Amino acid sequence: MTKYKVGMVSLGCDKNRVDSEIMLGQVEREYELTNNPKEADIIIVNTCGFIEKAKQESINTILDMAKYKIKYKCKLLIATGCLTQRYGKELLDLMPELDIVLGVNDYEKINKAIEGFIKENKKISSTNFTNEGINEGKRIITTNKSSAYLRIAEGCNNFCTYCIIPKIRGKFRSRKIENIIEEGKILANAGVKEIILIAQDTTNYGIDLYNEKRLHIVLRELSKIEGIEFIRVMYCYPEAIYGELIEEISKNDKVCKYLDLPIQHISNDILKRMGRKTSKEEIIDKIKTLRENVSNIVLRTSLIVGFPGETEKDFNELKEFLKEMKLDKVGVFTYSQEEDTPAALMENQIDEKIKQQREKELMEVQKEISKAINKSKVGRTYKVLVESENSDYFIGRSYEMAPDIDGLIYIKEKNLKANKFYDVKIKEALEYDLIGVVLNESCK
């Protein structure tokens, strides 16, 4: 009997990508996987429901995939992820194109749900949330062979006033260290060279399981795995960064001198309205501490403009902060008014045009900073992980660049190999990218 073919569309963040990879690992036990939706008998859309744009993208994608039920082979359309967890059976009722809706805690049920629908042709909705456990298990890696995400915790206890994630993903809960290390070994055996640690809040890893922060121990143990050369840490809340973590980043050669700090704003008034657990003074102090203690550290952040009550003074304070601190990588987002969040009910909501103008202004400031920082790199040599090639260049990244969100290094060479490291001297700087030449292969 011919196996059904299953296709997957994964939307949203890298944490959602890990869930998609775990689902594919589950599905592969019973069905054949395909990257071509025209061939798929079953299509899964793993949705994002974080902000309005993401919700709309998820809905549009579901509707796009529903067309494959009419034009091609698809018999069964499944929605999973944050949007389904947020709206549950309501989504199934509103979108008759869907056959199965599963929440973020229900991925182990996916094969049974598919089997049940095939046998009984009965629509299924399962979005019960237990606030326990973490999705784990065999994964089908969907990134390129060079790098993979490794989730170390699920959920969040920060309850920022603009954010729906704690209501979707539940309380913060850490994975056991031994499970993380075992997964790291599996990834290394598959040829992965770079591991990217993720969670809603990586800095507080271990606080719930071990009554103390243990991210530095995770870094130390992962660095012992042969084959892993880059270990990158994302989503470190600045107020939770601690001395042992800074020391491990500084001294451990495999840990990228790179941190993602989701600051969101710098005005103390706005930080307070956001429900952030820090202040302008603490943020600046932590940035200075990191720069003093970790040589050549690269700092990335994300900022929100147009939060309710953000005055011109607050915005200018944020702009001056960027100019003064000269952070290496910055993403700017306009505030999204999300139902069921405290910020949605706040007075003084900002007009959309003002939000967009402020976003544009901040990105113009950062573009000039990025140009200057990149220009200073000309003549330097970096250990670069080569990942792919196009018609003219091989493409790679140094420790300074996280995949998909930061720049790239373009190398005009012949006969390089993907998934290998090379020493690359930077010859030219662009706004966000660099161009270089290979000096030699830096490691196996």
Side-chain angles (χ1 to χ4, degrees):
M1 182 180 171
T2 305
K3 281 188 174 182
Y4 283 119
K5 291 185 178 181
V6 180
M8 166 80 78
V9 181
S10 186
L11 304 172
C13 66
D14 41 41
K15 296 170 283 293
N16 218 37
R17 180 193 285 268
V18 170
D19 280 339
S20 295
E21 293 174 345
I22 290 170
M23 273 190 280
L24 289 174
Q26 296 261 359
V27 167
E28 191 191 34
R29 297 176 191 169
E30 304 290 338
Y31 306 99
E32 188 178 333
L33 302 181
T34 178
N35 290 323
N36 186 351
K38 293 179 182 179
E39 296 179 355
D41 302 287
I42 301 163
I43 296 177
I44 304 166
V45 181
N46 194 17
T47 64
C48 179
F50 180 48
I51 59 174
E52 186 59 37
K53 284 181 182 177
K55 288 188 286 186
Q56 197 57 56
E57 181 189 17
S58 294
I59 290 166
N60 290 342
T61 303
I62 290 169
L63 294 174
D64 285 344
M65 292 301 106
K67 295 173 186 175
Y68 288 85
K69 296 174 94 173
I70 300 167
K71 294 182 179 180
Y72 299 100
K73 293 175 60 182
C74 182
K75 304 172 184 67
L76 172 53
L77 184 58
I78 303 171
T80 62
C82 289
L83 187 74
T84 60
Q85 186 64 51
R86 192 168 178 182
Y87 296 105
K89 190 174 183 300
E90 181 185 352
L91 195 67
L92 195 65
D93 294 338
L94 290 173
M95 302 188 75
E97 296 87 353
L98 285 171
D99 302 300
I100 296 174
V101 167
L102 297 178
V104 297
N105 265 17
D106 295 301
Y107 299 146
E108 78 284 354
K109 300 175 184 175
I110 193 161
N111 285 351
K112 189 174 283 188
I114 292 171
E115 182 185 353
F117 183 85
I118 291 170
K119 284 182 178 177
E120 300 179 20
N121 199 32
K122 184 179 178 182
K123 295 200 174 194
I124 298 165
S125 173
S126 178
T127 55
N128 294 325
F129 191 75
T130 63
N131 222 345
E132 301 293 336
I134 299 172
N135 295 321
E136 295 182 288
K138 180 188 175 185
R139 291 165 57 189
I140 305 296
I141 302 302
T142 58
T143 47
N144 65 57
K145 189 181 179 183
S146 303
S147 63
Y149 296 99
L150 179 49
R151 180 167 49 201
I152 62 172
E154 177 64 286
C156 187
N157 291 346
N158 290 312
F159 294 99
C160 300
T161 59
Y162 53 83
C163 184
I164 196 68
I165 291 298
K167 290 185 178 180
I168 294 174
R169 293 280 179 172
K171 67 182 181 182
F172 182 85
R173 46 210 192 274
S174 304
R175 293 179 68 190
K176 293 179 181 178
I177 285 184
E178 54 266 34
N179 292 5
I180 295 169
I181 304 307
E182 180 59 31
E183 186 169 357
K185 291 176 181 176
I186 291 169
L187 293 172
N189 288 337
V192 170
K193 303 296 184 185
E194 176 188 35
I195 283 178
I196 306 159
L197 300 187
I198 55 170
Q200 298 298 337
D201 174 4
T202 53
T203 345
N204 275 315
Y205 171 79
I207 202 84
D208 55 319
L209 269 186
Y210 307 110
N211 296 315
E212 62 179 9
K213 296 175 184 177
R214 291 195 179 182
L215 179 56
H216 64 293
I217 296 175
V218 172
L219 294 175
R220 192 177 307 153
E221 293 303 312
L222 284 172
S223 69
K224 296 174 183 176
I225 299 174
E226 187 176 351
I228 300 300
E229 295 295 329
F230 278 179
I231 305 169
R232 188 181 304 277
V233 184
M234 307 297 287
Y235 317 123
C236 288
Y237 280 65
E239 68 273 14
I241 293 172
Y242 56 104
E244 290 166 305
L245 175 60
I246 296 173
E247 185 178 5
E248 189 65 32
I249 294 170
S250 176
K251 293 183 176 180
N252 192 324
D253 290 339
K254 287 191 176 183
V255 177
C256 294
K257 313 313 175 199
Y258 174 111
L259 275 183
D260 175 282
L261 312 173
I263 292 169
Q264 310 304 7
H265 214 282
I266 204 62
S267 159
N268 280 329
D269 286 343
I270 298 299
L271 289 170
K272 187 175 181 180
R273 288 169 70 83
M274 286 179 163
R276 305 291 285 186
K277 299 176 176 64
T278 188
S279 66
K280 174 181 181 177
E281 294 73 23
E282 289 171 329
I283 290 169
I284 291 173
D285 182 64
K286 192 58 62 80
I287 290 169
K288 289 179 178 178
T289 298
L290 285 165
R291 286 174 167 170
E292 287 167 5
N293 288 277
V294 184
S295 179
N296 296 317
I297 191 167
V298 166
L299 298 177
R300 154 171 275 284
T301 196
S302 52
L303 303 170
I304 296 173
V305 293
F307 190 80
E310 182 189 59
T311 62
E312 197 68 31
K313 179 175 177 291
D314 294 323
F315 174 68
N316 286 332
E317 189 175 352
L318 182 57
K319 195 158 57 171
E320 289 306 309
F321 165 78
L322 270 193
K323 291 177 182 178
E324 181 182 346
M325 299 311 294
K326 293 181 169 54
L327 298 172
D328 302 87
K329 319 281 184 183
V330 176
V332 182
F333 303 91
T334 57
Y335 166 72
S336 178
Q337 187 176 5
E338 292 301 312
E339 61 194 84
D340 295 330
T341 63
L345 303 177
M346 288 180 180
E347 296 179 352
N348 301 317
Q349 298 286 330
I350 306 296
D351 183 79
E352 198 61 39
K353 286 184 180 178
I354 295 174
K355 293 181 194 176
Q356 290 171 4
Q357 179 59 35
R358 289 177 179 177
E359 177 190 27
K360 183 180 177 182
E361 279 187 48
L362 273 197
M363 287 311 300
E364 285 297 320
V365 169
Q366 185 58 31
K367 184 161 62 172
E368 294 306 310
I369 292 168
S370 180
K371 273 186 193 175
I373 289 173
N374 271 3
K375 195 174 287 188
S376 73
K377 294 171 185 175
V378 174
R380 293 187 194 175
T381 298
Y382 289 93
K383 178 181 176 179
V384 172
L385 176 57
V386 170
E387 297 181 297
S388 62
E389 65 174 307
N390 61 22
S391 56
D392 298 314
Y393 293 90
F394 279 87
I395 300 168
R397 294 180 293 108
S398 70
Y399 81 90
E400 298 182 336
M401 301 163 167
D404 301 325
I405 55 173
D406 296 328
L408 296 166
I409 297 177
Y410 292 89
I411 311 160
K412 197 158 190 175
E413 299 279 348
K414 293 180 179 179
N415 303 319
L416 299 186
K417 292 181 179 178
N419 206 32
K420 282 190 174 291
F421 288 91
Y422 295 86
D423 290 327
V424 175
K425 187 172 184 178
I426 304 304
K427 291 291 188 179
E428 188 179 345
L430 308 175
E431 283 178 3
Y432 298 107
D433 301 320
L434 300 168
I435 298 172
V437 295
V438 167
L439 299 181
N440 56 268
E441 188 174 332
S442 65
C443 67
K444 62 184 179 179

